[in-house]
Every structure is written in C-alpha cells, then in structure tokens.
Amino acid sequence: MIKLNSSDNDIKQLKRKIASKVRHPYLVRFIPEPTIDEDKLVILSSIMDHTNLSAVKKEQYIITTMLVQIALDTHDLVTLSDEDDDREIVRSRQLTVLAGDYYSGLYYYLLSQLDDIPMIHTLAGAIKEINELKMELYYKDVESFQEFLEGLKKIESLLIQRVASYVQKTAINDMAGEWLLAKKLLEEKRSYQEGNFSPLIDALIKRPALLGNSGQILVNIEQMLQSHMHRLEMTITQLPVHFNWLKSYMHAAIHHQFNHRKIAEEG
C-alpha cells in the first residue's frame, strides 16, 4: 500500500499499479496499451492527500477514478470509417470498444470490494453526464466557440470535480478545469498538425461558422491558449497553501507544455 503524500515516486508507483490493472494479454496483442494521464493522476492524488480517508480508500479511489478516465478515453479512440470491408479496421474498432468496456468493469469490481455504493453512484453519474456532454459537443449545434470551449472544459474536468466534491475538497476545481482544458486543446492541436485524426478539430471543421477553415481554427486555438495562460496561472496561485507540491508540479507542467513548445516551434 502506497503511503499517499504526493511525490514523484508516489505517482510513479500509482502509475505502475494502474498499468498492471489495465494490462490484458489478449488486448495488448492488437491495440496499444492505454495512456495514463499523469496530470489527472497528480490532481487526484493531491485531492486525496488532504482527506481523512484511510490509505486503502485513498489509493482505491485514485485507481478506480483513473480506470473510469481510461475507459472514457479508450472509447473516444473508436474510429468511424467507411472502410468497413477492411477486416483489420473492423477488428481494431471492435477490440477498442471491448477494451473500454473492460476498463469500465474493472472499477466496479474494485469498488465493490470496498462496499462503497455512494462512490459508485458518484462515478456512474459522472460517466453519464460526460457522455451526454460529448454528444452535445460533437453532434449538436453550439452557438459560439466559447460555448464549445465550456463544453470541452466540463468533459475534461467533470470526473475529477465530482470526486473532489464527494470527498469535500473542491478548492482544486477551478484550477483543474482551466489546466485540463488548455492541455486538451494543446494535445489536439499537436495531433492534428502531425497528421493524426483529432475528433475535436474535426468537430470544429464541420462547424465553419464558429472559426472558419482548418487554418483559422488552429490560429484561433493558439490565440485562445495564449490568453488562457494568465487565468490558469491565477487559479494555481489561488490554491490553498497545503497544495504547494501541486503548485510546483503545475508550474513545471506549464513550462514544459507551453514554453518548451514555443522554443521548439521557433527553432
């Protein structure tokens, strides 16, 4: 059992434990192993650090919440293609759906061992709301780019915010929303520029009234990210003093994701 008091070593140990839970010998033969979002893991760990829960429950809440996140992320990877006659594409799609369902089932199993029905309800409610938000964001009309961003922020941060509310540690919620939105936009922009499919940018391209063509979309996302930095920095500085480790982590993450990226792009 990890003694939770957030540090780099604790986060690495938690990542190893989560990876061991989701590793399936059949699935890894055909689809990539899931990515564990370290920033979300760090935020969850910081939340749990400052509760009076037992070490067992703290670790279990972190692992089960991350399993839910991995399940949601995995289902997002399911591609929609006209090439349904390609057996490899069909099998990959089917296995990705299966993997997402498998990861979902794991967290129910782990929480059932704790006999923790309220936490199950909290996570299940968050899953339902996130899936509804995704349907609205990607398949229904939104009136403005700002409305689109607000929907995306909720999708990225709602799970963590619901867990924070459940353990009555909501001071972290604003920072989590601002950071996870910025990070998601940066990741999707980078993926699109590298020639990979981006569901987010694809959704914006299909709504030219919001931002125009793909080139204008990328410019607008970059401008939004630049203006977003001040608000993000403010939410970090406003965190209570006992979140000092998290503050240091977030400042380093911002420097790595944004300043390092600028240097690389200018070079």
Side-chain angles (χ1 to χ4, degrees):
M1 184 61 55
I2 297 171
K3 182 181 178 182
L4 285 176
N5 184 5
S6 291
S7 70
D8 292 339
N9 286 335
D10 293 335
I11 297 303
K12 287 176 183 176
Q13 288 183 60
L14 280 166
K15 283 185 76 172
R16 283 195 290 268
K17 287 199 171 193
I18 295 165
S20 70
K21 296 286 184 188
V22 298
R23 189 171 293 115
H24 190 287
Y26 179 75
L27 291 173
V28 297
R29 290 167 55 194
F30 301 103
I31 60 174
E33 290 195 43
T35 300
I36 298 169
D37 190 319
E38 185 169 310
D39 290 340
K40 291 181 180 178
L41 177 57
V42 165
I43 294 170
L44 280 168
S45 298
S46 296
I47 292 169
M48 294 302 163
D49 279 349
H50 304 292
T51 68
N52 294 321
L53 295 168
S54 69
V56 171
K57 278 206 169 185
K58 286 180 182 180
E59 183 177 303
Q60 204 78 330
Y61 281 2
I62 293 167
I63 291 175
T64 51
T65 303
M66 288 304 299
L67 288 174
V68 171
Q69 187 64 62
I70 289 168
L72 290 166
D73 292 344
T74 301
H75 281 139
D76 285 346
L77 297 175
V78 179
T79 58
L80 298 176
S81 169
D82 294 330
E83 303 175 70
D84 287 337
D85 56 338
D86 188 315
R87 293 179 60 188
E88 287 302 311
I89 290 175
V90 171
R91 182 170 67 169
S92 175
R93 186 182 305 142
Q94 290 171 336
L95 286 171
T96 303
V97 173
L98 175 64
D101 293 342
Y102 170 68
Y103 305 143
S104 296
L106 281 175
Y107 90 84
Y108 281 114
Y109 169 70
L110 291 172
L111 282 179
S112 69
Q113 292 180 313
L114 283 178
D115 192 24
D116 202 329
I117 301 303
M119 185 59 167
I120 291 176
H121 285 165
T122 296
L123 294 176
I127 292 169
K128 178 177 180 292
E129 192 170 346
I130 288 168
N131 285 329
E132 288 171 351
L133 286 166
K134 285 180 179 179
M135 291 296 292
E136 291 177 7
L137 190 71
Y138 291 111
Y139 300 108
K140 295 182 180 179
D141 289 334
V142 291
E143 294 183 0
S144 66
F145 183 46
Q146 190 57 42
E147 183 183 342
F148 188 91
L149 291 177
E150 285 301 316
L152 183 62
K153 184 198 289 187
K154 288 180 182 178
I155 289 168
E156 288 301 304
S157 58
L158 189 139
L159 180 63
I160 285 176
Q161 290 173 346
R162 288 287 185 273
V163 172
S165 296
Y166 179 74
V167 297
Q168 300 181 337
K169 296 294 175 183
T170 57
I172 212 165
N173 281 359
D174 286 345
M175 185 281 295
E178 298 298 340
W179 168 242
L180 295 174
L181 170 63
K183 181 184 172 188
K184 180 66 173 178
L185 285 171
L186 183 59
E187 288 173 347
E188 292 287 319
K189 178 175 177 281
R190 182 186 296 129
S191 178
Y192 184 78
Q193 289 175 319
E194 291 173 353
N196 300 317
F197 176 70
S198 163
L200 176 67
I201 293 179
D202 184 63
L204 288 169
I205 289 173
K206 290 175 180 176
R207 296 177 173 95
L210 292 184
L211 289 180
N213 61 36
S214 59
Q216 292 170 313
I217 288 169
L218 295 178
V219 169
N220 275 278
I221 287 176
E222 182 61 32
Q223 290 175 343
M224 197 288 303
L225 284 168
Q226 296 301 328
S227 64
H228 191 70
M229 284 300 98
H230 177 68
R231 188 161 66 250
L232 175 56
E233 292 279 4
M234 284 293 293
T235 61
I236 294 172
T237 58
Q238 289 167 359
L239 286 172
V241 66
H242 53 264
F243 284 112
N244 277 344
W245 185 86
L246 178 62
K247 288 183 182 182
S248 297
Y249 175 91
M250 292 308 306
H251 285 305
I254 290 170
H255 176 77
H256 176 74
Q257 291 279 4
F258 290 91
N259 297 342
H260 178 75
R261 169 187 63 113
K262 281 187 203 173
I263 293 169
E265 288 178 352
E266 289 170 2

